[in-house]
Amino acid sequence: MHWIEKIALTEPNGVPDFPGYDLWLKRKAFIFSIKHNGISFLLDNINPYTRPLPAYYCFLRLKEAQINKQEIIQALKFQINQSVTPGEYADHAREYIEKMDNMIFFDGYQ
């Protein structure tokens, strides 16, 4: 695995500093990894232990993710169903699923 992919898939250790540079770097690495490996990088790495926010961020930023909206929603729903400890991540996933499901795009733009 490339070091950028490792950054994309690693949660920050502890609470981010106020400016959130660690989360910014994670988002940038996630976008790069999807551009380099395709949407399968996102879909293959949604699991019960990952935060749903990177998937939502990629959905907002990448036309490829917007085109694959239903696959992302299904992966997040699977994440909820497989979660060993339903709670915060599942609640966030439901929130992002609803937001994605309600968005309409025209030629890749909201």
Side-chain angles (χ1 to χ4, degrees), residues 14 23 32 52-53 79 87 89-90 94 98 102:
L23 294 175
F32 175 85
L53 186 58
Q79 174 191 27
Y89 287 178
R94 285 186 193 92
E98 184 178 336
N102 290 329

Side-chain angles (χ1 to χ4, degrees), residues 9 11 26 45-52 79-80 82-85 89:
L9 298 175
E11 293 298 328
K26 178 181 173 64
N45 289 294
I46 293 176
N47 64 60
Y49 304 102
T50 57
R51 295 172 57 241
Q79 174 191 27
I80 293 169
Q82 298 299 312
S83 181
V84 287
T85 55
Y89 287 178

Side-chain angles (χ1 to χ4, degrees), residues 3 24 27 47 56 66 70 73 75 94 105 107 110:
W3 61 272
W24 171 85
R27 288 192 300 266
N47 64 60
Y56 183 64
Q66 294 163 10
Q70 291 307 315
I73 288 173
R94 285 186 193 92
F105 293 91
D107 293 327
Q110 286 187 3

Side-chain angles (χ1 to χ4, degrees), residues 1-2 12 23 38 41 66 69 100 109:
M1 180 180 297
H2 193 273
L23 294 175
F41 180 82
Q66 294 163 10
K69 175 171 91 169
M100 283 189 279
Y109 298 100

